[in-house]
Amino acid sequence: MFDVLVYLGLAILATAVLWRGSQWLEASADQLAVGYGVPAVVQGAVIAAVGSSMPELVSVIVATLRHGAFELGVGAIVGSAVFNLLVIPAASVLVGNGGMATNRDLVYKESLFYMLAVASLLLTFSLAVIYYPLEGEGLQGAVTRPLALFPLILYGLYVFTQYLDAAEHEGVGDATVDIGRAWLWFGLGLVVIIVGVEGLVLAALGLGDAFGTPAFLWGMTIVAAGSSFPDAFVSIAAARSGRASVSLANVLGSNVFDLLVAIPVGILVAGTLSITFAHIVPMMAFLILATIVFFTIVRTEMRLTVPEAWTLLALYGVFVVWLLLESVGLSDVVPT
């Protein structure tokens, strides 16, 4: 019991460190967007999204290289994506002005790439099981570096479309912004985030050992929620200031980055990595369910309302309950 309390305390401390790093990173990303004069949707979907998604990217690299737990990193990515879709927009509505307007660029263009990101990652894992099978219990496969290039190429297409949008925008950068200083704070925020992620990964591994459960289940909760703080901070701040397009674009852009870049980069850094299909599929299935519910809600009247926000939070509650049942052995959807 003492060990559990120690690891929970470590997770809380690491989250606080991430919070500080996210503040620096969010402020510097906002300055960079203003300095370069990019449109609001591009600011949210690329600059703010990439910056606030650094914890997820670092979590995959740290979990893989330092602890040999690639599936924990994948669990953190998927759990973070669910958290971003269900909790952050809901919190932005409830903390903000009681509602958040959407637009067709967000609902159609961003949603298209996001759904492609989910499908391409699941396809990548499926190809690994089909073409590079491994011996062991259940379906296992090796995700190779060539396979990892497929989602990265798709992200390149995503960035290219955002570039075209920015090129059509006639905004002018603010010459008063100190670009060099903004990049410096961006880098410092990233360093602090790396420290916080290391603490979260250690906490997830420790809790997995303490309860005798796969560490990736804790990655989907502890690491995912903690690493999503930068996304939450950026999105809620944008929503409260009346920039709904930045808030929602950050959520979708962060998820696209996490799925198409964070996981493949972990593979490219570490080389061939093994996955267990029975672990991956239930996680991806719930992510697809959350995706369907989210886009159905934001499409209605092009507005996210307070009742709809509570619906998203309720679904996330179902997600957490499912993971708790898995962790104590009352559910066997994910084999231990």
Side-chain angles (χ1 to χ4, degrees):
M1 183 62 183
F2 177 75
D3 290 342
V4 172
L5 294 177
V6 170
Y7 289 124
L8 288 175
L10 176 61
I12 294 172
L13 178 61
T15 301
V17 173
L18 272 175
W19 176 262
R20 173 57 65 183
S22 71
Q23 287 181 312
W24 293 345
L25 195 133
E26 187 275 336
S28 59
D30 186 63
Q31 286 186 326
L32 289 171
V34 173
Y36 289 120
V38 299
V41 171
V42 177
Q43 175 188 349
V46 179
I47 296 179
V50 172
S52 59
S53 291
M54 284 300 168
E56 288 90 337
L57 175 60
V58 173
S59 69
V60 173
I61 296 175
V62 169
T64 302
L65 293 184
R66 287 183 54 80
H67 306 284
F70 175 66
E71 286 192 347
L72 185 151
V74 175
I77 294 296
V78 176
S80 177
V82 173
F83 186 93
N84 289 349
L85 276 181
L86 301 180
V87 176
I88 294 178
S92 299
V93 169
L94 297 176
V95 175
N97 300 320
M100 189 160 53
T102 62
N103 58 56
R104 294 188 178 274
D105 282 343
L106 287 170
V107 173
Y108 293 109
K109 187 188 75 173
E110 299 300 327
S111 65
L112 173 63
F113 269 97
Y114 173 66
M115 288 185 282
L116 282 175
V118 175
S120 66
L121 186 62
L122 184 57
L123 177 60
T124 300
F125 291 146
S126 301
L127 292 175
V129 173
I130 294 171
Y131 291 105
Y132 304 99
L134 298 175
E135 295 183 359
E137 184 178 353
L139 292 174
Q140 298 186 28
V143 185
T144 63
R145 283 173 172 158
L147 283 178
L149 293 177
F150 170 60
L152 283 173
I153 292 172
L154 183 57
Y155 188 76
L157 177 61
Y158 174 74
V159 173
F160 179 68
T161 61
Q162 298 291 359
Y163 165 77
L164 293 179
D165 286 346
E168 295 173 357
H169 182 71
E170 297 181 355
V172 178
D174 188 347
T176 63
V177 174
D178 189 339
I179 298 295
R181 181 180 176 84
W183 278 113
L184 175 62
W185 280 104
F186 190 94
L188 290 175
L190 179 59
V191 171
V192 173
I193 284 172
I194 291 173
V195 174
V197 166
E198 172 68 11
L200 285 175
V201 171
L202 288 174
L205 292 172
L207 289 170
D209 291 338
F211 286 95
T213 55
F216 76 87
L217 289 175
W218 296 97
M220 292 180 72
T221 50
I222 298 295
V223 180
S227 62
S228 291
F229 258 82
D231 294 315
F233 184 83
V234 172
S235 296
I236 292 174
R240 294 190 67 179
S241 63
R243 297 177 296 160
S245 59
V246 174
S247 178
L248 290 176
N250 175 67
V251 168
L252 299 177
S254 294
N255 280 8
V256 170
F257 181 87
D258 291 344
L259 298 174
L260 297 183
V261 176
I263 293 177
V265 165
I267 298 169
L268 293 177
V269 169
T272 302
L273 294 168
S274 63
I275 60 162
T276 302
F277 210 51
H279 291 172
I280 298 298
V281 171
M283 293 190 298
M284 298 299 293
F286 199 97
L287 178 58
I288 292 172
L289 173 63
T291 300
I292 293 172
V293 172
F294 175 79
F295 285 116
T296 300
I297 286 178
V298 298
R299 175 61 182 85
T300 56
E301 300 181 357
M302 291 296 180
R303 184 173 180 83
L304 184 59
T305 63
V306 171
E308 291 170 339
W310 284 114
T311 300
L312 294 178
L313 288 179
L315 182 58
Y316 188 75
V318 172
F319 176 68
V320 173
V321 169
W322 169 59
L323 291 180
L324 289 176
L325 293 177
E326 289 283 354
S327 67
V328 299
L330 295 180
S331 174
D332 58 357
V333 175
V334 179
T336 58

